[in-house]
Amino acid sequence: MLRFGRCALDVAGRRLLVDGTPVHLEPQAFDVLAHLAANPERVVSKEELLDAVWGSRFVSEAALATRIKEIRRATGDDGAVQGVVRTVRGRGYSLVVEPAQSGDDERPAGTGLLGRERDVTEALARLRPGSVVSLVGPGGVGKSTLARELVARLTADGRRVVTVDLTAIRDAGHLLPAVTRAAGVVGEAPQEALAGLDAVLVLDDADELVADVAALCSRLAGSGGRLAIVVTCRERLGCRGEQLWPVLPLDSATARELLRARCRELAPLGGLVDAPADRLDDLGAAVDRLPLALEMLAAGSAVEDVDGLRTLLDTRPDLLPAAQRDAPDRHRTLERLAAFSIQRLDDDLRAALVALGAFAGAFTSADAAGVLGAQGPAAVRALADRSLLAPVAALGAPRFQVLRTVYRALASAADPAQVVAASSAHATYVVRTLRLAEEQLRTAQEAAAAAVFDRLADEARAAYRWAHAHDVPTAVALVRALHPYAYTRLWDEPFAWAQELSTVTEAPEVLAALATRAAQQSRLDDAATLATRVLAATTDDDLRTLALECLSDVGIYRYDTDAAVAAAEELLADGERTADRHRLAIGWTNSILARTYGGRAHEAAALLPTVERLTPDAPSDRAWLAYTRGETLAELGEPGAAAELARAKELADSVGNPFVGGVARVSLAAALARSATAADAEPALREALGTFLRRGNVTHLTSALRIAVPVLSALGHEEAAVTVGSWVLAPERRPAHPADRQVAQQVVDAAASRPGGPVWAARGRALSTAEAAEVALAALVPL
């Protein structure tokens, strides 16, 4: 157990306790907190946390910021006080109080349930005289199991509990007699007698008698008696005194633990007992992490391995066996479990559920309206009330997710044309929303726009998969909508989609994406050719901007000042014609940087006053201008370079832009290494190298490694400096700036006569770009 402040973290059991009480934390937020707790003596960088929690999968820094907010909410912290997690501006996060190891077991006693302690605690807290506590959730989520645990806890505390199983009652006229018989109530006024009992009445499985149970509970709760009531149902009753507690699907870690435990009991020789965690998580997600469905998987693992079970879920879920032979008919297969809820829907709600099933993940009512129109929010409310949508814990607007078990059964019986129409509407909505967000990227609302891209990343993936197979123009439009965000956030996936689309279309949107990808991968000839083709194929101002920026970048990477300036000047002309401050900012940035890197720094400096007069709205555009000033001042040896580069980094970080943030960090590291604060260069260089390596951006990783040589040397990392320096000098590398080559040569030559020097140099020449970056990162002290 790891303890810090009022909190205790059980990493193995994936539990967070605050003041001894279990508090729910979403899986990724838990992983972030666990990584911080495992590194109590240092500031953990954002890149390290992104790598540790999300691995190679692209997410923006906004996703990490959201998880930090979730941790603060769960621990009673906030962004102002920062009593648990401290934000270290420009560096990362750290725990405020150092954790200490303890062997004490703080698992709450008295429950055999996994992941349900909070449900038990919350339900018990709501049980007061006259209350009706409704445990509401989808079929198979474990409402009855939770009710039995409540009965056990209440009985152990000496409370009288009356339990009535409603599954066998079909006639509303039998409801009150069944309840009075179970309670031992006789006489002419049974309802008054029931209400006056000092007891808890548990009405389990009210699905077939919702209206009648609601009417009975209203009368009992409104009589002023001492009786408290617990009801389990798939939908809320809407009765007097009702207090709703949603019973949600398990989190990933708990579902995995339950699946392993049931496999050990039901199929100890099966293949799931020792299956990898990610495969179990995939199975769990496919059945919505419903405990009943997990039990079916465990039973099925006696004859099927992971792949076999996954195939069954996709093709014949009806063949998964019930874990118990005496299970009710509607709990015997996944299809029957879903059918019980689906059969109660009218045609409009069925169609709405099919449409919402096109969402890959959680969505808001506004998202639903984008797909369904004005009736979207009402449909979400109606489906959520019936537990056919699972609420997803998130900050901001409430979010929901379609249960895949339900959608699978519904879609298999739906008209195929209806499913296609739903996927088309979803893809169209995603494209439209991303295009609007793309326009906002150029404004003061850049951070909010970036959050939209971050939130819809999974939806974009789902929309692309469908559109690539069924609607190529929509797939092209999706790549176009993602292009500016993907470029600035170093996200390669949309550009890889463009590569796939290039086999079926030569649309200028696709060519522009391919040009950008080629430039990022140091295929500069390909990039220039593709960008030139875009300019010949379209007059669209936005596509021209992407192509001209790419051509100008290629000129800068080649140190071809004239070509870079020519493309930048076209961009400036377009910016003047359209009065677009984004185009003007990028045009001036590239025009000045091309001169600075091309040995014409004094000419570049003469243009800086023009830059000073620009007032772009987007923080990223302001970051590029600050970076441009910093690079030019650094080239001239003028004061103020480090301050401008630091400002560029801060602006980039404020909106989660790793591109300009990364290049600013590299240049800042070089500037700091030449000053009395050389030690401060280390974290900046480490973050930049980590960013470009993680995002697979070969071009800027190469540039960062060239600048890393003098920084590594100044910091005393001689072996790494020589190894990376010899990598820079290898003839197969893209030509470096003469000054960078000169420094690399000096470092390598100085070590030639020292022990190890020739070995380090030979090693460096054989390394790949990624391997050279790993050498540099290994030498640099972690944040």
Side-chain angles (χ1 to χ4, degrees):
M1 189 76 73
L2 297 169
R3 291 190 175 85
F4 44 96
R6 301 161 48 215
C7 307
L9 195 69
D10 176 6
V11 177
R14 295 189 68 83
R15 296 182 308 128
L16 170 66
L17 304 178
V18 179
D19 294 330
T21 300
V23 175
H24 176 72
L25 200 59
E26 286 299 299
Q28 289 173 339
F30 186 95
D31 291 339
V32 170
L33 181 57
H35 195 78
L36 291 172
N39 295 273
E41 296 181 354
R42 64 185 179 91
V43 177
V44 182
S45 72
K46 295 177 182 178
E47 285 295 329
E48 181 178 335
L49 286 168
L50 288 168
D51 285 338
V53 177
W54 285 274
S56 60
R57 182 184 179 194
F58 170 80
V59 294
S60 76
E61 289 184 4
L64 175 59
T66 298
R67 302 309 182 271
I68 294 294
K69 289 179 182 177
E70 291 176 8
I71 292 169
R72 286 176 172 152
R73 172 188 52 76
T75 57
D77 193 9
D78 62 45
V81 176
Q82 298 192 6
V84 175
V85 177
R86 179 167 59 98
T87 300
V88 183
R89 188 173 179 83
R91 295 181 64 189
Y93 302 98
S94 67
L95 280 183
V96 173
V97 182
E98 179 177 336
Q101 290 281 359
S102 169
D104 295 342
D105 183 9
E106 294 187 13
R107 183 179 297 276
T111 179
L113 297 178
L114 288 173
R116 294 299 190 203
E117 184 60 31
R118 185 188 181 196
D119 296 308
V120 173
T121 301
E122 294 286 354
L124 289 174
R126 285 164 169 72
L127 276 177
R128 295 184 296 274
S131 64
V132 179
V133 178
S134 295
L135 304 178
V136 176
V141 80
K143 301 183 295 295
S144 295
T145 303
L146 179 58
R148 287 194 291 272
E149 181 65 22
L150 291 176
V151 170
R153 299 278 187 104
L154 292 165
T155 303
D157 287 342
R159 298 284 301 276
R160 182 188 177 190
V161 181
V162 177
T163 301
V164 182
D165 183 355
L166 302 179
T167 54
I169 301 176
R170 294 293 181 268
D171 186 340
H174 296 160
L175 174 60
L176 182 57
V179 174
T180 55
R181 185 166 54 250
V185 170
V186 295
E188 296 182 355
Q191 291 188 34
E192 290 79 0
L194 282 172
L197 291 177
D198 186 6
V200 177
L201 172 63
V202 178
L203 302 176
D204 188 24
D205 203 342
D207 294 328
E208 296 279 11
L209 299 166
V210 176
D212 301 292
V213 170
L216 175 62
C217 289
S218 286
R219 293 194 296 270
L220 294 176
S223 65
R226 293 173 294 175
L227 185 70
I229 305 172
V230 175
V231 180
T232 69
C233 193
R234 299 194 189 199
E235 57 186 284
R236 66 184 183 87
L237 300 178
C239 67
R240 180 182 302 174
E242 183 177 28
Q243 297 192 52
L244 198 68
W245 183 254
V247 184
L248 304 179
L250 301 173
D251 62 61
S252 296
T254 304
R256 188 191 322 132
E257 185 180 354
L258 176 61
L259 183 54
R260 286 195 196 278
R262 295 301 284 148
C263 285
R264 285 192 290 268
E265 296 166 357
L266 298 175
L269 301 180
L272 258 62
V273 172
D274 298 316
D278 61 332
R279 302 301 306 279
L280 295 182
D281 289 347
D282 177 65
L283 281 176
V287 295
D288 301 310
R289 299 190 292 274
L290 298 173
L292 180 62
L294 295 171
E295 297 228 352
M296 291 180 183
L297 289 174
S301 71
V303 293
E304 297 284 355
D305 61 8
V306 175
D307 292 328
L309 288 171
R310 197 66 179 84
T311 299
L312 277 182
L313 288 175
D314 292 336
T315 58
R316 292 295 306 275
D318 57 302
L319 295 182
L320 276 176
Q324 298 176 355
R325 294 184 184 276
D326 60 348
D329 182 69
R330 65 184 181 184
H331 287 177
R332 296 193 65 79
T333 71
L334 289 177
E335 285 193 331
R336 293 180 188 178
L337 188 67
F340 182 82
S341 295
I342 295 171
Q343 68 189 11
R344 297 168 176 266
L345 299 179
D346 60 28
D347 290 343
D348 288 342
L349 281 180
R350 284 175 181 248
L353 190 55
V354 169
L356 295 175
F359 283 98
F363 54 85
T364 65
S365 287
D367 294 327
V371 172
L372 289 169
Q375 70 271 29
V380 168
R381 285 193 296 273
L383 293 169
D385 281 347
R386 291 164 172 78
S387 297
L388 292 172
L389 301 180
V392 176
L395 300 177
R399 300 173 68 184
F400 302 89
Q401 192 159 8
V402 172
L403 293 169
R404 308 319 294 180
T405 47
V406 172
Y407 178 74
R408 193 183 294 118
L410 184 61
S412 65
D415 181 352
Q418 189 181 37
V419 177
V420 170
S423 297
S424 178
H426 170 263
T428 300
Y429 168 69
V430 171
V431 170
R432 184 172 67 250
T433 305
L434 292 179
R435 283 306 302 268
L436 291 173
E438 187 249 322
E439 294 176 4
Q440 277 193 307
L441 283 177
R442 304 179 180 187
T443 73
Q445 302 303 313
E446 180 182 0
V452 173
F453 281 94
D454 181 40
R455 183 174 70 84
L456 292 182
D458 284 339
E459 301 307 327
R461 293 183 180 101
Y464 172 75
R465 285 193 296 269
W466 177 84
H468 179 254
H470 299 95
D471 185 352
V472 170
T474 295
V476 171
L478 184 61
V479 167
R480 165 64 190 87
L482 288 167
H483 188 150
Y485 179 79
Y487 171 59
T488 58
R489 271 61 181 180
L490 306 179
W491 181 20
D492 184 61
E493 194 174 4
F495 301 130
W497 299 344
Q499 198 75 54
E500 290 180 338
L501 290 170
S502 67
T503 62
V504 295
T505 180
E506 292 188 346
E509 295 89 344
V510 171
L511 297 179
L514 294 178
T516 295
R517 192 185 202 205
Q520 291 179 336
Q521 294 178 343
S522 277
R523 295 184 288 108
L524 301 184
D525 290 342
D526 291 343
T529 299
L530 288 162
T532 301
R533 288 177 62 189
V534 173
L535 294 174
T538 185
T539 58
D540 179 271
D541 285 328
D542 289 336
L543 288 177
R544 279 182 54 82
T545 296
L546 296 173
L548 288 170
E549 186 171 1
C550 181
L551 278 175
S552 186
D553 286 347
V554 168
I556 290 173
Y557 302 151
R558 286 172 165 167
Y559 302 105
D560 186 343
T561 303
D562 291 339
V565 169
E569 286 180 347
E570 280 198 65
L571 194 52
L572 287 169
D574 285 354
E576 293 287 354
R577 174 175 55 81
T578 59
D580 187 301
R581 287 184 284 186
H582 169 74
R583 293 189 181 102
L584 291 172
I586 298 305
W588 280 116
T589 291
N590 280 17
S591 181
I592 295 173
L593 287 178
R595 290 175 168 88
T596 297
Y597 298 148
R600 293 153 57 179
H602 288 286
E603 182 182 332
L607 297 173
L608 288 181
T610 303
V611 171
E612 298 291 344
R613 291 192 293 272
L614 288 179
T615 56
D617 296 318
S620 285
D621 288 343
R622 299 204 302 274
W624 277 115
L625 294 176
Y627 172 74
T628 300
R629 289 191 293 269
E631 283 286 78
T632 303
L633 293 174
E635 185 70 17
L636 294 172
E638 297 287 340
E644 289 290 348
L645 294 169
R647 181 168 176 266
K649 178 179 71 70
E650 290 177 2
L651 284 165
D653 290 349
S654 72
V655 289
N657 186 331
F659 187 177
V660 62
V663 296
R665 280 176 167 81
V666 172
S667 297
L668 180 60
L672 293 173
R674 295 190 293 267
S675 71
T677 56
D680 293 336
E682 205 148 8
L685 180 59
R686 181 177 181 83
E687 281 200 61
L689 288 170
T691 294
F692 294 133
L693 177 62
R694 181 173 179 269
R695 306 298 173 93
N697 191 297
V698 177
T699 296
H700 289 92
L701 184 58
T702 298
S703 299
L705 285 168
R706 291 169 179 166
I707 296 176
V709 176
V711 177
L712 290 167
S713 180
L715 294 170
H717 304 308
E718 184 181 17
E719 179 179 348
V722 172
T723 302
V724 176
S726 63
W727 175 87
V728 169
L729 296 171
E732 63 269 26
R733 305 286 169 246
R734 174 165 60 87
H737 189 283
D740 292 335
R741 286 189 62 83
Q742 181 179 2
V743 171
Q745 191 68 63
Q746 290 172 347
V747 169
V748 173
D749 290 347
S753 60
R754 287 199 282 274
V759 175
W760 300 337
R763 177 192 176 202
R765 287 190 293 271
L767 294 178
S768 68
T769 306
E771 290 169 337
E774 293 288 359
V775 168
L777 285 168
L780 296 169
V781 175
L783 289 176

